[in-house]
Amino acid sequence: MLQDIRRTAEYLNIVFKVSERCNLKCDYCYFFFAGDDSWKKHPPLVSPEVVDALGAFSARAAKKYGIERVTLIFHGGEPLLMPRARFADMCERLRKHEDGFRFDFGLQTNGVLVRDEWIDLFEKYQISVGVSLDGPPAVNDKHRLDLKDRGSYDRTVAGLRLLQEAAAQKRISAPGLLAVINPGADGGAVYRHFVHTLGVNDMSFLTPDYTWDSGVNEEIVRGVERYLLSACRAWLRDKNPKVHIRVFSELLSAMVSSQAMDLLRTYRDDYRNIISVSSNGDLAPEDTLRVVDPRFASMGLNIETHGLEDLVESDAWREQAEASLRRPEGCKACGWWNICKAGRPINRFSKALRFDNKSLYCKGLQDIYAEIAAFLVRNGIPLSEITSRIAAIDPAPAPEPGVAPENGQLASPPR
């Protein structure tokens, strides 16, 4: 268990729910509309006492496990619902606890409330900002509505433009975008809107939080997979090294670099370095897991009375740790395992088998891996190098894949 604690501490990420209310009502939101109502029992805004408790919790962990940097993401709900003076006080309080370590502040926002005064705070406290946006108006405003059922696209983009202007002035880092995949949308069109219209170079596409028990029909699943493949092809077609899409960029880097492969194999969809802290100080594993089982949300642990080791030694944590290492039956014969790890844990879950399932989006993930590998082959990277990196320390014997002559895609995944 000490090894698990050290692994968690090495790249410790804390998702801090500073506001457990929101000014939008995105119908797919795991936090408010997926069956976990714990937020109703928590304060709308985090108190100064909980902020101080988190600072002390982090300082204890840093001292005990030799942590030098702690990534702290201000999250929600919508974190900008916190009054600015109170937000500034929170940052000051947290900085006062830095003793032998430092917080790296980040914030995820829907962008609607971004104003120049907020950017002043982001600059002062060195906060990197991510904006949630699902695509052009017809895509974004299908699900991301405000409390009066109005679309949020225009206001979100207005906030994004303010952030981009501040980044151009070197006041803050460039904002990134986080898009939840709409199964009915064209991923390539969304990519082009983000990059060519909005001028964003850093983004991530998030699969919907469906589990094997969600009862979604096959067309929805296939729609998610088509979206991912279309976005991937648009990104590869641009050949723009400045554009970083986490789900794709990490894969491409891993296929050409053994060092990047080692990192991907270690951390790909493995949430053992992510913890969440609610507005009342309750501790839990990575936040989306709360919707699959109450034991991942209501653990009886709090930053005022418990330490990092209490979370890592809990049964719920142990289950997710074992899941990150266990190869599901449906993945036993798959040669992509080292770069896939069965996808996001929530997309693996079922009540019957828990995390012992392949991803709900398995076929789509395999298509992406093949697409990126084939792109590299077409651009001069030997197939043998790619397959040897992917198969490294993989116990399954692996015949070398072929390349489909019609379009240059891999005919089968590396084994």
Side-chain angles (χ1 to χ4, degrees):
M1 192 55 66
L2 179 60
Q3 182 179 0
D4 281 348
I5 296 174
R6 286 174 175 166
R7 187 218 181 273
T8 301
E10 186 176 8
Y11 293 105
L12 181 59
N13 284 255
I14 300 175
V15 177
F16 190 21
K17 315 295 284 188
V18 301
S19 168
E20 298 206 21
R21 302 296 186 270
C22 196
N23 55 334
L24 298 185
K25 53 174 184 180
C26 310
D27 57 14
Y28 55 64
C29 180
Y30 73 90
F31 193 70
F32 295 112
F33 304 119
D36 171 42
D37 292 336
S38 59
W39 62 272
K40 294 180 179 179
K41 306 171 186 175
H42 297 168
L45 297 175
V46 68
S47 69
E49 291 75 19
V50 171
V51 172
D52 281 333
L54 178 60
F57 169 91
S58 302
R60 292 195 305 271
K63 183 176 182 180
K64 189 169 185 177
Y65 301 109
I67 303 173
E68 296 180 0
R69 317 283 295 199
V70 174
T71 299
L72 181 61
I73 307 298
F74 300 122
H75 209 271
E78 171 51 49
L80 299 193
L81 286 174
M82 178 178 282
R84 285 189 294 273
R86 190 164 169 179
F87 186 93
D89 177 71
M90 174 177 66
C91 294
E92 293 285 352
R93 287 174 180 270
L94 289 168
R95 289 285 185 220
K96 288 179 180 178
H97 286 276
E98 294 175 328
D99 182 12
F101 80 103
R102 183 167 178 81
F103 285 115
D104 292 325
F105 289 154
L107 180 142
Q108 189 66 34
T109 175
N110 58 45
V112 169
L113 299 175
V114 172
R115 302 291 185 272
D116 289 332
E117 294 82 0
W118 274 112
I119 292 175
D120 291 340
L121 295 181
F122 300 155
E123 179 183 18
K124 179 177 181 179
Y125 295 108
Q126 301 174 39
I127 301 173
S128 60
V129 181
V131 177
S132 298
L133 183 72
D134 288 351
V139 176
N140 183 81
D141 291 350
K142 184 173 182 179
H143 298 287
R144 301 187 62 81
L145 304 175
D146 69 12
L147 303 183
K148 295 182 179 180
D149 293 322
R150 299 173 300 186
S152 59
Y153 176 88
D154 289 340
R155 286 169 288 169
T156 294
V157 170
L160 174 67
R161 292 305 192 196
L162 290 176
L163 293 166
Q164 289 176 315
E165 182 180 348
Q169 298 168 357
K170 308 298 184 185
R171 296 175 58 197
I172 62 173
S173 58
L177 289 180
L178 175 63
V180 175
I181 292 171
N182 181 328
D186 178 354
V190 172
Y191 164 86
R192 289 186 291 273
H193 184 75
F194 287 169
V195 177
H196 303 158
T197 302
L198 299 181
V200 175
N201 288 334
D202 191 355
M203 67 202 73
S204 186
F205 298 115
L206 192 65
T207 54
D209 294 327
Y210 296 131
T211 71
W212 284 96
D213 298 325
S214 296
V216 294
N217 61 47
E218 186 75 7
E219 182 56 28
I220 289 177
V221 174
R222 297 288 86 82
V224 172
E225 295 173 340
R226 286 193 298 269
Y227 179 113
L228 279 171
L229 187 58
S230 177
C232 182
R233 286 173 171 166
W235 173 68
L236 293 173
R237 193 176 300 119
D238 270 358
K239 289 188 177 181
N240 185 348
K242 294 181 180 179
V243 178
H244 180 270
I245 304 176
R246 183 176 181 181
V247 67
F248 306 144
S249 298
E250 289 180 350
L251 291 165
L252 188 146
S253 296
M255 291 183 191
V256 298
S257 164
S258 296
Q259 183 178 9
M261 177 61 76
D262 288 341
L263 284 173
L264 185 70
R265 187 163 44 229
T266 302
Y267 292 101
R268 180 75 167 180
D269 289 317
D270 183 344
Y271 295 160
R272 286 180 292 160
N273 65 316
I274 304 174
I275 68 175
S276 64
V277 177
S278 296
S279 63
N280 68 341
D282 280 354
L283 274 165
E286 190 275 336
D287 206 37
T288 60
L289 295 179
R290 66 175 57 238
V291 304
V292 302
D293 191 322
R295 71 197 298 249
F296 292 113
S298 303
M299 303 181 64
L301 303 178
N302 191 281
I303 53 176
E304 292 193 32
T305 53
H306 296 85
L308 180 62
E309 60 278 5
D310 296 307
L311 177 62
V312 176
E313 291 171 359
S314 67
D315 289 340
W317 186 277
R318 188 175 295 112
E319 180 181 9
Q320 73 145 5
E322 291 173 353
S324 69
L325 300 173
R326 184 173 62 249
R327 192 163 177 159
E329 188 64 33
C331 301
K332 292 283 178 68
C334 181
W336 297 114
W337 169 254
N338 281 328
I339 62 172
C340 180
K341 299 298 181 67
R344 295 178 64 210
I346 192 168
N347 299 145
R348 294 170 56 180
F349 187 84
S350 71
K351 292 179 180 178
L353 297 177
R354 307 294 289 181
F355 296 103
D356 194 21
N357 300 286
K358 63 183 182 179
S359 172
L360 187 66
Y361 308 110
C362 175
K363 183 181 182 303
L365 295 176
Q366 292 189 46
D367 287 344
I368 291 169
Y369 308 149
E371 191 77 20
I372 293 174
F375 168 84
L376 292 172
V377 170
R378 293 194 301 271
N379 285 274
I381 305 298
L383 184 59
S384 58
E385 289 187 12
I386 298 172
T387 55
S388 65
R389 288 192 182 96
I390 294 174
I393 72 170
D394 186 85
E400 185 174 290
V403 177
E406 295 81 8
N407 57 14
Q409 292 189 29
L410 292 183
S412 61
R415 291 288 309 276

